[in-house]
Amino acid sequence: MSNNVEDATKKLTRLLLENPKSKVIFMVGAGISTSCGIPDFRSPKTGLYHNLSKLNLPYAEAVFDIDFFKETPKPFYMLAAELYPGKFKPSKFHLLMKLFQDKNRLQRIYTQNIDTLERESGVSHKYVIEAHGSFAENHCTECNKMYKRDVFENKLKEYEKNPKKENLARCKECNGLIKPNIVFFGEDLPSRFFENWDLDLEEMEKESSKEQLIVIVAGTSLTVYPFASLPIEVPKTHHRALINREIVGDFLKEPRKLDIIIKSHSDEAAQIIADELGWSKELDALMEKH
Ligand code: CNA
């Protein structure tokens, strides 16, 4: 680990220690789950887009394109089988976020991930905004009839064993394809995303919240909008920290004086944060529990 990583992380923890009532808004992506065994999208060689190239997709994002899905559901079924919740344990970074909740230092977690590992780590639903939806509910892509989680799950298991058209999840009413409530390109984000962001933004716009709300962005390439615009909208009076293997998005295009850049593996940064805040024993205990 480079001194730069350690120094930058300590800059963040100093801020948290100097403002003992401050709370954190996390904005996270696939990078915080790679150590759980779930590939991210865009990392060269290991990313899901690279793996899906075997399937001859016209373009990688087609796997999340609703029209493509209706014609060719197989790539999404393969991806769903790989990512399906229940197979993975939370990472050190997820458990650090849970500790922020336990210490009453968590304002919100905005996640782009669909792996539900924030919930698995024990963070309460009220703090977690699954911006791109989840596998928890399903709906028909033709008539919008809602279906429970197990309807798609059972069919997915059958399809994994035997990838035949008859094993796709279909609507009882109209025979349309059923898909989990994961946000595909061109679909709206859940209203909870916008409602909570409006509230958090309103809080941040208060002069008194300057050092009381700190934003930590981690494990995301900040390429998918509108999520990628969240760090841009953070008032310039507030600190933003980026924990990522590479410098991305607004941190690269419009760097700010108050930004803290921690170019590192998210779990390594999580360990330093826990050590510096005096939370390492609790983090170890959580790691053992999971
Ligand atoms: P992305 O575009 O794949 O970017 C991931 C970013 O994380 C990259 O900048 C990597 O360099 C960085 N990174 C990878 N591993 C680490 C690590 N251990 N520590 C620090 N940084 C790391 O993924 P985004 O989340 O930005 O893209 C948004 C998509 C990805 C969302 O729509 C998700 O639904 C989708 N996705 C989710 C999952 C999941 O639920 N776990 C997995 C793959 C893709």
Side-chain angles (χ1 to χ4, degrees), residues 28-35 38-43 48-49 64 79 83 112-117 132 182-183 185 218-224 243-246 248 264-267:
V28 298
I32 66 159
S33 296
T34 51
S35 62
I38 309 173
D40 64 6
F41 271 172
R42 293 174 183 81
S43 285
L48 280 170
Y49 282 157
F64 287 127
L79 183 107
L83 288 184
Q112 296 168 92
N113 295 343
I114 49 180
D115 55 30
T116 59
L117 285 176
H132 294 167
I182 285 167
V183 180
F185 290 110
T220 169
S221 61
L222 289 178
T223 44
V224 179
I243 302 174
N244 212 49
R245 280 195 181 135
E246 50 185 344
V248 292
S264 132
H265 191 297
S266 49
D267 290 343

